[in-house]
Amino acid sequence: MQDSKLPSSVRSTLLELFGQIEREFENLYIENLELRREIDTLNERLAAEGQGIDGAELSKGQLKTKASHSTSQLSQKLKTTYKASTSKIVSSFKTTTSRAICQLVKEYIGHRDGIWDVSVARTQPVVLGTASADHTALLWSIETGKCLVKYSGHVGSVNSIKFHPSEQLALTASGDQTAHIWRYMVQLPVPQPIADTSQQISGEDEVEFSDKDEPDGDGDVSSDCPTIRVPLTSLKSHQGVVIAADWLVGGKQAVTASWDRTANLYDVETSELVHSLTGHDQELTHCCTHPNQRLVVTSSRDTTFRLWDFRDPSIHSVNVFQGHTDTVTSAVFTVGDNVVSGSDDRTVKVWDLKNMRSPIATIRTDSAINRINVCVGQKIIALPHDNRQVRLFDMSGVRLARLPRSNRQGHRRMVCCSAWSEDHPICNLFTCGFDRQAIGWNINIPALLQEK
């Protein structure tokens, strides 16, 4: 190894990997020895039992059948053990790769209940917004993790937060049957050097956490944060929980989605209801607007999502997309003519707006999917799951990575939402969950696509 031309960091990583492989094979060898002993014991027992059961002799055929059944069970156990062990070895390689490509940078802790939504401001100063079941929305410094502003104008769970495309305005939807528009002014603190957390990850350890292990949300956020208590505008027309809201292109109108099975389009300046969008058979779960066109997509528990077209003022057309077998938890636009939908049926589907009869790609997963987000520039889909995982896929359905999760980092409960911030130099992906924290990640996108 003295003549090796490999960098020392690469050599140490390889040595660590080979050490893991050796330990896994050692464990596999020990398990196989134990299983062989079990086989020998079983054979001895079968030979003894062959003399008789309940005073009657076993026929040769009966003995053969019993032995065959037991041997089959042990064979299956051997196969399962082998697969599990080799799977761990493969996972070790995958984890090391993911570690280098997907790194946790910052945790945003201060909410007193689960966080439903996360969003990134589209204007300077760029801040992070979180919406929580604790009835508040918080704005954070991405670099320092410090809370900058607290909005406490709602009297119900805050279910979503979206930033105005050009002004320092935030739009929040709430369980109090309203959506609020409020103005914020923030001064970003001086960022401190960020500690490297990439070396603190111990593989893909899956550890169950109790409530006492969750981040402490009872810190000084409420006392130190400037608080906004009154909105500029309150949008009131729904007869049920407002689960999501978004700005239409230009920011002069806003759309809301509600459990009353309707979506409403409002004029922001006057707060007047412009259109009520009806047609869904069950509660709405999400709404999203196109970044460049007057298009809205709404998702519902009725297993469909609908595309509403407001580009022609005289014609408001609607298209219904069917293809999921359970609640559609979200549907979002990408660049061009694609929509990506996620569902409780554990699938994500990519659709072409010009052909809504069938999806052009389907991603099948092992857990229900919550509010997805697409990195528009690179067309990478971030999937937050009920099972605490976050996975990254491309638009053709190829899995690119899984965000690291261990007993020292990552979400400890259901991951509710993801949001990309493609131009931020430190964190370009954010996730939030019911463990009361949001997390900022740095995804090395060129390396991610090269691994593909």
Side-chain angles (χ1 to χ4, degrees):
M1 292 291 290
Q2 292 180 349
D3 299 330
S4 173
K5 293 183 172 55
L6 291 173
S8 58
S9 60
V10 175
R11 287 172 58 190
S12 62
T13 300
L14 284 173
L15 288 173
E16 179 187 348
L17 275 174
F18 286 129
Q20 291 178 18
I21 292 172
E22 183 180 5
R23 288 192 294 273
E24 292 296 342
F25 273 110
E26 184 179 359
N27 291 336
L28 181 60
Y29 177 73
I30 293 170
E31 289 174 2
N32 285 343
L33 287 179
E34 292 174 353
L35 287 171
R36 283 190 180 187
R37 281 196 290 270
E38 287 185 30
I39 292 173
D40 293 338
T41 303
L42 179 62
N43 285 335
E44 292 173 3
R45 191 188 311 154
L46 287 175
E49 290 175 351
Q51 301 303 318
I53 294 180
D54 295 334
E57 286 193 5
L58 277 173
S59 69
K60 185 177 180 180
Q62 288 173 312
L63 182 59
K64 184 177 180 182
T65 302
K66 185 174 178 65
S68 174
H69 177 67
S70 301
T71 305
S72 175
Q73 285 182 321
L74 282 167
S75 173
Q76 186 60 40
K77 189 172 181 180
L78 278 167
K79 288 179 182 177
T80 303
T81 304
Y82 174 76
K83 285 181 180 178
S85 300
T86 52
S87 176
K88 285 182 182 178
I89 296 166
V90 174
S91 294
S92 297
F93 286 107
K94 286 184 177 179
T95 304
T96 304
T97 302
S98 293
R99 242 178 10 211
I101 295 175
C102 311
Q103 294 188 4
L104 186 152
V105 177
K106 185 66 68 176
E107 294 175 327
Y108 306 89
I109 299 172
H111 279 293
R112 298 170 184 262
D113 209 335
I115 303 175
W116 294 119
D117 200 18
V118 62
S119 184
V120 182
R122 294 185 271 178
T123 58
Q124 294 293 335
V126 178
V127 295
L128 181 71
T130 52
S132 171
D134 66 7
H135 298 192
T136 70
L138 299 179
L139 304 187
W140 308 81
S141 163
I142 292 176
E143 293 81 2
T144 67
K146 176 180 173 60
C147 178
L148 304 173
V149 171
K150 173 181 177 180
Y151 181 71
S152 61
H154 287 291
V155 294
S157 169
V158 184
N159 301 320
S160 80
I161 180 168
K162 287 291 183 289
F163 290 96
H164 191 277
S166 59
E167 298 183 47
Q168 291 188 29
L169 295 173
L171 170 65
T172 48
S174 173
D176 62 14
Q177 303 187 5
T178 70
H180 288 180
I181 297 171
W182 43 280
R183 186 177 296 279
Y184 61 91
M185 294 183 65
V186 296
Q187 183 173 357
L188 295 180
V190 178
Q192 300 296 319
I194 295 175
D196 182 11
T197 59
S198 63
Q199 302 302 317
Q200 302 173 5
I201 308 169
S202 57
E204 295 189 356
D205 302 334
E206 293 293 338
V207 179
E208 295 296 327
F209 292 84
S210 61
D211 289 343
K212 67 180 184 339
D213 294 318
E214 293 182 4
D216 181 9
D218 298 328
D220 58 355
V221 170
S222 299
S223 57
D224 290 355
C225 239
T227 301
I228 300 171
R229 294 182 172 85
V230 180
L232 283 178
T233 302
S234 181
L235 307 178
K236 305 174 183 177
S237 291
H238 286 293
Q239 304 301 311
V241 168
V242 182
I243 197 65
D246 203 357
W247 304 90
L248 263 72
V249 59
K252 294 184 178 180
Q253 291 182 322
V255 63
T256 56
S258 172
W259 285 3
D260 65 10
R261 305 184 182 185
T262 69
N264 286 341
L265 186 66
Y266 294 91
D267 181 280
V268 169
E269 186 176 353
T270 64
S271 306
E272 291 182 358
L273 177 64
V274 179
H275 294 291
S276 185
L277 313 179
T278 60
H280 281 293
D281 295 329
Q282 294 189 42
E283 295 93 331
L284 273 64
T285 56
H286 191 249
C287 65
C288 179
T289 60
H290 194 284
N292 304 316
Q293 303 181 61
R294 290 178 53 79
L295 298 171
V296 175
V297 64
T298 55
S299 312
S300 172
R301 289 184 61 188
D302 64 11
T303 75
T304 73
F305 65 94
R306 293 176 176 239
L307 173 68
W308 310 83
D309 190 342
F310 298 102
R311 288 175 293 187
D312 186 338
S314 60
I315 304 173
H316 303 137
S317 64
V318 58
N319 291 316
V320 181
F321 288 72
Q322 297 176 320
H324 289 288
T325 58
D326 206 337
T327 297
V328 180
T329 51
S330 64
V332 298
F333 290 100
T334 69
V335 289
D337 294 320
N338 293 126
V339 169
V340 182
S341 60
S343 170
D344 279 344
D345 66 9
R346 303 182 179 185
T347 69
V348 170
K349 296 179 185 289
V350 182
W351 307 79
D352 185 341
L353 296 181
K354 298 174 183 176
N355 179 15
M356 63 181 184
R357 285 174 292 184
S358 61
I360 58 178
T362 297
I363 300 168
R364 304 187 188 281
T365 71
D366 60 353
S367 180
I369 295 146
N370 296 309
R371 291 181 176 177
I372 59 178
N373 198 255
V374 178
C375 175
V376 175
Q378 303 295 336
K379 297 186 177 181
I380 300 173
I381 314 167
L383 311 186
H385 289 280
D386 273 4
N387 66 0
R388 303 172 294 169
Q389 302 293 347
V390 181
R391 296 183 175 96
L392 306 181
F393 286 81
D394 70 10
M395 294 285 286
S396 61
V398 175
R399 176 174 159 175
L400 303 175
R402 184 179 77 174
L403 299 193
R405 248 203 98 258
S406 74
N407 58 346
R408 286 189 287 273
Q409 72 161 7
H411 287 289
R412 301 170 181 178
R413 287 194 176 183
M414 175 179 73
V415 189
C416 300
C417 182
S418 60
W420 289 94
S421 177
E422 300 178 49
D423 298 327
H424 200 277
I426 297 174
C427 300
N428 55 1
L429 177 64
F430 298 89
T431 57
C432 66
F434 221 64
D435 56 359
R436 300 184 290 182
Q437 68 172 335
I439 297 177
W441 304 85
N442 180 271
I443 311 299
N444 187 335
I445 293 178
L448 186 70
L449 297 177
Q450 186 176 5
E451 287 288 329
K452 169 185 170 185

